[in-house]
């Protein structure tokens, strides 16, 4: 059925071009010539007897559009098989109709490009006669041409053109499409050669099912040499020729679901290699660069997948989807129009019902006006009585509002007082924390001072020991003095170092004492703050009670300030010091 529709469109153009006069009739000789040419180009066997019998002189013969179609279907189209030359068939039909209908205005495309646009029109046009191409298909074709020319699609320009087209007609004829593309309206800035190449590329894809073509290197099966060939990929076959004129065919690769295309690593000095594996033979091919290699692999794999999943070529599948979508939209539009008509009839019925209801409402309104008048009289009486009651209630309300305002004021004062007490409690807590921190620092300073005193006592003991050793060395003989002089000097040096360490400890002790004095000062300030806050809290009705620190043991005071030890510790240290000195004095 698809092949019949594909053939009928060019034949319709040819037949329409043969019509002469206003009667729309065609001469017998013209129909005989047309039929003979169709049989020749479509590889249909000639039947001269049936041809003469069908073209007999009677009113039901083929000298009309209605009479010729049965003969065309029975003796030609029903016998057509695949394998005929589609280009020559289309060119014959084009020759019959181009001279009569081709636009006379100058075009930026040649006759061959105009023929290819005409053939593309037959492929994309709707299956309704007279043939028209709808705006959606025009947009698809112009986008394909723009993409082939390497330009940018001008959507805004097409939308303006589409609006102007919708106001005039539903689509374009083949000759109007040729005039549109030939005018260069959507190919500004492109030369004639670029436009022709783009038309040829789209023609090859849509009409000849050429999915991809180009020069590749093929490895021979016998000689194993590499030869450049022009490859043409179609939905079921890859054909390769000596050159792109397609005159000298060198071979073909039949593609089916069992074929496999894979990339190969570089070898034998060849790069960008890939292989097409079939059941009986494999073909090694080399592309000019990695991009073309990947494009060919994807294109061949796409064809294999089409066979594997039994799908039509991409452009045919896309055309089927576009047509199905248009049919769906048309059915929805017809359904919408049907519903609109039903709604219009229902609306008219509703209008009549509303008119009846309007009359009834008018009568009811008159009755309602009378009732309203009576109701207003009654309402006036009620309003006078209610007015007195409202004034009395308003007075009571104002008195209650004054009482509420007074209570609110008292509540606000109590809240402010509570906030002040909370703030005082927070500050008192901060003062207690400061006092605790100060006591902690005081304790740390006391421990540090005790440690320094112990170190000082140890150093003093060492010095006493050294002093005793020096006195013993003096009592020794002269000979021993010389021997011990060196030892004394070393101990003298050690004594000096110990003195320096003692001085350093003295400095550290003084520094610790200063830190202790600072800590004591901080403690006194914290205690002062505590007493100050205690007084403030006592002034606020005794809601809080100050937490006072516990009692401390009585401390000693030395020449350098408060001592970091008790009276018992001091007595113990004096006793120890006396015991250490007693041997030295002896």
């Amino acid at each position: 059925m698809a092949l019949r529709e594909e053939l009928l469109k060019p034949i319709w153009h040819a037949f329409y071009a043969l019509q002469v006069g206003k009667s729309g009739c065609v001469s017998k000789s013209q129909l005989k010539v047309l039929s003979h040419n169709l049989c020749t180009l479509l590889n249909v066997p000639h039947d001269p007897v049936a041809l003469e019998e069908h073209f007999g002189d009677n009113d039901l013969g083929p000298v009309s559009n209605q009479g010729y179609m049965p003969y065309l279907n029975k003796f030609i189209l029903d016998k057509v098989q695949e394998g005929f030359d589609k280009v020559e068939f289309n060119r014959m039909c084009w020759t019959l109709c181009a001279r009569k209908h081709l636009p006379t205005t100058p075009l930026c495309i040649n006759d061959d490009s105009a023929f290819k646009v005409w053939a593309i029109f037959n492929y994309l046009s709707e299956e309704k006669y007279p043939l028209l191409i709808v705006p959606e298909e025009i947009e698809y074709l112009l986008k394909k041409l723009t993409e082939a020319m390497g330009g940018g699609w001008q959507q805004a320009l097409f939308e303006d053109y589409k609006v102007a087209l919708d106001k005039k007609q539903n689509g374009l004829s083949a000759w109007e499409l040729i005039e549109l593309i030939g005018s260069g309206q959507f190919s500004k800035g492109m030369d004639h050669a670029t436009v022709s190449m783009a038309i040829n590329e789209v023609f090859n894809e849509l009409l000849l099912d050429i999915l991809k073509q180009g020069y590749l290197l093929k490895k021979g099966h016998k000689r194993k040499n590499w030869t450049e060939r022009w490859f043409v990929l179609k939905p079921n076959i890859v054909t390769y020729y000596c050159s792109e004129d397609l005159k000298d065919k060198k071979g073909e690769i039949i593609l089916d679901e069992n074929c496999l295309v894979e990339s190969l690593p570089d070898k034998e000095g060849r790069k960008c290699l890939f292989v097409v594996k079939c059941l009986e033979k494999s073909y090694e091919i080399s592309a000019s660069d990695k991009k073309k290699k990947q494009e060919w692999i994807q294109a061949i794999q796409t064809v294999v997948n089409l066979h594997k999943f039994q799908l039509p070529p991409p452009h045919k599948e896309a055309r089927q989807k576009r047509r199905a979508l248009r049919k769906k939209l048309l059915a929805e539009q017809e359904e919408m129009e049907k519903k609109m008509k039903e709604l219009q009839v229902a609306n008219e019925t509703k209008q009549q019902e509303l008119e009846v209801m309007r009359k009834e409402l008018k009568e009811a309104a008159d009755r309602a006006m009378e009732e309203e008048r009576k109701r207003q009289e009654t309402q006036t009486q009620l309003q006078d009585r209610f007015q007195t009651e409202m004034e009395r209630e308003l007075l009571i309300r104002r008195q209650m509002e004054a009482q509420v305002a007074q209570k609110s004021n008292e509540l606000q004062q109590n809240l402010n007082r509570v906030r002040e007490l909370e703030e005082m409690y927070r500050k008192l807590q901060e003062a207690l924390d400061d006092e605790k921190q100060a006591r902690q620092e005081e304790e740390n300073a006391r421990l540090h001072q005790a440690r320094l005193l112990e170190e000082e006592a140890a150093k003093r003991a060492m010095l006493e020991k050294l002093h005793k050793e020096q006195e013993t060395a003096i009592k020794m003989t002269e000979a021993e003095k010389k021997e011990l002089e060196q030892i004394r000097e070393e101990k003298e040096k050690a004594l000096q170092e110990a003195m320096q360490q003692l001085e350093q400890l003295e400095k550290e002790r003084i520094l610790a004492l200063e830190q202790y004095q600072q800590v004591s000062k901080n403690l006194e300030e914290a205690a002062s703050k505590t007493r100050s806050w205690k007084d403030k809290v006592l002034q606020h009705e005794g809601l809080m009670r100050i937490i006072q620190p516990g009692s401390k043991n009585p401390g000693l005071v030395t020449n350098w300030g408060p001592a970091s030890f008790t009276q018992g510790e001091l007595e113990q240290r004096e006793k120890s010091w006396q015991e250490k000195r007693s041997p030295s004095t002896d």
Side-chain angles (χ1 to χ4, degrees):
M1 189 66 182
L3 179 61
R4 179 185 295 273
E5 291 296 333
E6 185 178 348
L7 296 174
L8 272 177
K9 290 180 180 181
I11 295 173
W12 177 82
H13 281 286
F15 183 83
Y16 183 75
L18 294 177
Q19 290 181 349
V20 294
K22 297 182 179 179
S23 61
C25 297
V26 184
S27 64
K28 294 180 183 179
S29 60
Q30 288 176 324
L31 292 179
K32 288 181 179 180
V33 172
L34 175 62
S35 302
H36 186 272
N37 289 334
L38 290 175
C39 291
T40 302
L41 292 173
L42 297 176
N43 299 328
V44 175
H46 296 280
D47 190 352
V49 176
L51 185 66
E52 291 296 333
E53 290 179 355
H54 191 81
F55 282 84
D57 293 330
N58 56 65
D59 295 336
L60 301 177
V63 193
S64 66
N65 192 9
Q66 292 77 14
Y68 184 64
M69 286 306 297
Y71 171 79
L72 180 65
N73 289 323
K74 181 178 180 180
F75 293 99
I76 299 179
L77 297 182
D78 290 347
K79 299 178 181 181
V80 175
Q81 301 293 330
E82 292 285 352
F84 63 92
D85 192 335
K86 294 182 180 180
V87 177
E88 291 301 323
F89 166 73
N90 281 280
R91 196 172 291 279
M92 184 274 293
C93 297
W94 160 262
T95 304
L96 293 176
C97 62
R99 183 178 299 177
K100 183 176 181 180
H101 297 287
L102 196 64
T104 57
T105 56
L107 303 176
C108 64
I109 57 176
N110 54 28
D111 291 343
D112 183 64
S113 296
F115 157 69
K116 292 177 179 178
V117 173
W118 175 80
I120 294 171
F121 167 86
N122 293 331
Y123 177 79
L124 297 177
S125 60
E126 299 297 298
E127 296 177 358
K128 296 179 181 179
Y129 297 89
L131 294 175
L132 291 175
I133 181 171
V134 296
E136 291 79 6
E137 297 295 335
I138 298 174
E139 181 179 5
Y140 168 77
L141 174 58
L142 293 177
K143 282 184 177 179
K144 294 282 289 184
L145 292 175
T146 304
E147 180 182 356
M149 289 185 291
W153 173 242
Q154 302 175 3
Q155 185 65 37
L157 179 62
F158 180 78
E159 291 296 335
D160 295 339
Y161 174 78
K162 184 178 178 181
V163 171
L165 179 63
D166 291 340
K167 293 180 179 178
K168 297 180 181 179
Q169 52 192 357
N170 296 327
L172 296 179
S173 65
W175 318 108
E176 291 172 336
L177 180 64
I178 293 173
E179 185 175 6
L180 173 63
I181 296 176
S183 65
Q185 182 178 353
F186 291 92
S187 59
K188 293 182 179 179
M190 301 292 177
D191 54 15
H192 296 181
T194 303
V195 178
S196 299
M197 289 178 61
I199 294 173
N200 183 61
E201 181 178 338
V202 177
F203 174 80
N204 289 337
E205 178 183 354
L206 300 183
L207 273 297
L208 304 183
D209 291 336
I210 296 178
L211 303 180
K212 190 169 183 61
Q213 58 183 346
Y215 280 107
L216 297 171
L217 292 174
K218 174 185 170 296
K219 185 177 181 180
H221 290 90
K222 295 181 179 180
R223 292 186 177 182
K224 305 298 181 181
N225 60 335
W226 292 86
T227 309
E228 186 179 53
R229 300 298 184 200
W230 178 262
F231 281 75
V232 177
L233 173 63
K234 292 187 176 182
N236 59 346
I237 191 172
V238 178
T239 311
Y240 49 94
Y241 304 83
C242 283
S243 61
E244 55 187 296
D245 58 7
L246 308 181
K247 292 183 179 180
D248 188 4
K249 179 180 177 181
K250 304 302 294 183
E252 59 186 19
I253 305 172
I254 305 299
L255 299 177
D256 55 25
E257 66 274 9
N258 299 316
C259 294
L260 180 65
V261 56
E262 294 179 344
S263 176
L264 293 178
D266 299 341
K267 62 179 181 179
E268 301 177 3
R270 298 291 176 182
K271 297 182 178 181
C272 304
L273 299 175
F274 64 95
V275 61
V276 180
K277 296 181 180 179
C278 300
L279 291 177
E280 298 180 356
K281 192 182 295 185
S282 297
Y283 302 84
E284 292 187 15
I285 301 172
S286 173
S288 58
D289 53 51
K290 293 182 179 180
K291 181 181 178 182
K292 289 186 178 180
K293 168 188 172 181
Q294 192 63 31
E295 290 176 354
W296 275 98
I297 291 176
Q298 291 179 353
I300 297 175
Q301 186 61 50
T302 300
V303 172
V304 173
N305 292 336
L306 292 179
H307 286 279
K308 186 177 297 184
F309 300 107
Q310 298 182 353
L311 299 175
H315 60 277
K316 291 186 178 180
E317 184 179 8
R319 182 183 64 172
Q320 293 174 1
K321 290 182 178 180
R322 294 195 303 273
R323 287 184 175 179
L325 179 60
R326 285 198 296 274
K327 289 181 179 179
K328 181 180 178 182
L329 294 176
L330 182 60
E332 292 177 354
Q333 184 178 1
E334 291 176 352
E335 182 67 21
M336 184 64 69
E337 291 177 354
K338 181 180 179 181
K339 290 182 179 180
M340 289 297 294
K341 290 181 179 178
E342 293 176 355
L343 288 174
Q344 186 176 1
V345 173
N347 188 28
E348 292 176 355
T349 305
K350 291 293 183 182
Q351 289 290 342
Q352 295 175 358
E353 294 176 357
L354 287 173
E355 186 65 27
V356 175
M357 291 177 63
R358 190 178 292 110
K359 293 179 180 179
E360 293 176 353
L361 287 173
K362 186 177 180 181
E363 295 175 357
D366 294 337
R367 292 194 300 270
M369 287 178 64
E370 181 64 24
E371 294 177 357
E372 180 66 18
R373 185 182 63 78
K374 295 179 180 179
R375 187 185 64 80
Q376 286 181 355
E377 292 178 356
T378 305
Q379 185 178 4
T380 303
Q381 297 174 359
L382 293 173
Q383 283 180 350
D384 294 339
R385 187 175 62 185
F386 290 157
Q387 184 66 27
T388 305
E389 295 180 358
M390 287 294 293
E391 291 176 356
R392 183 171 56 83
E393 290 178 358
L394 181 60
L395 180 60
I396 296 172
R397 181 179 178 182
R398 288 176 180 175
Q399 293 175 355
M400 293 180 66
E401 288 178 352
Q403 294 176 0
V404 169
Q406 183 179 0
K407 295 294 183 181
S408 299
N409 189 18
E410 293 177 357
L411 178 61
Q412 186 65 33
Q413 291 177 357
N414 292 332
L415 290 174
N416 293 336
R417 186 176 179 184
V418 171
R419 291 193 188 98
E420 291 176 359
L421 291 174
E422 290 177 351
E423 182 65 19
M424 290 173 65
Y425 175 78
R426 185 183 63 79
K427 292 182 179 180
L428 179 60
Q429 189 66 33
E430 292 177 355
L432 289 175
D433 294 340
D434 292 342
E435 184 177 359
K436 289 181 182 179
Q437 182 67 24
R439 289 188 178 278
Q440 183 65 33
E441 292 176 356
E442 179 187 5
E443 183 65 21
N444 294 336
R446 187 185 65 78
L447 295 175
H448 182 64
Q449 188 175 12
R451 186 172 63 255
L452 292 177
L453 287 174
E454 291 177 357
E455 293 177 357
E456 182 180 0
K459 293 295 181 179
R460 288 185 182 277
M462 185 183 295
L463 288 174
E464 289 292 336
K465 184 177 180 181
L466 290 174
H467 182 66
K468 291 178 181 179
E469 291 176 357
Q470 287 178 357
E471 290 178 353
T472 304
I474 292 173
K475 295 177 181 181
M476 299 175 86
T477 60
E478 191 66 20
E480 291 175 347
K481 285 182 180 181
K482 291 180 181 181
E483 185 179 353
L484 296 174
E485 182 67 26
Q486 186 176 358
I487 297 174
R488 186 187 65 79
E489 291 177 356
E490 293 178 355
K491 290 186 176 182
E492 185 69 27
K493 184 178 180 181
L495 179 60
Q496 291 177 358
E497 291 178 355
M499 290 296 292
Q500 291 177 358
Q501 293 178 0
L502 183 60
E503 291 176 358
Q504 181 66 27
L505 288 173
E506 185 68 21
K507 291 179 180 179
E508 292 179 358
R509 187 180 65 79
I510 294 172
L511 180 61
L513 180 59
E514 292 176 354
Q515 293 177 355
Y516 172 77
Q517 291 174 353
Q518 181 64 33
V519 169
S520 298
K521 184 179 179 181
N522 294 339
L523 181 60
E524 291 176 1
E525 291 178 356
S528 176
K529 290 182 179 179
T530 304
R531 288 191 297 272
S532 176
W533 283 109
K534 178 179 178 182
D535 295 339
K536 291 182 179 180
V537 170
L538 292 176
Q539 291 176 4
H540 286 78
E541 300 180 1
L543 296 180
M544 297 184 183
R545 183 177 180 182
I546 301 297
I547 301 174
Q548 297 180 350
S551 61
K552 298 194 297 183
N553 293 327
L556 298 178
V557 179
T558 65
N559 295 335
W560 299 281
S564 61
F565 45 84
T566 62
Q567 181 66 31
E569 293 175 347
L570 180 60
E571 293 174 357
Q572 184 67 27
R573 291 188 180 184
E574 288 179 352
K575 182 177 180 182
S576 176
W577 178 260
Q578 293 296 335
E579 290 176 356
K580 291 180 180 179
R581 290 191 59 183
S582 57
S584 61
T585 54
D586 294 341

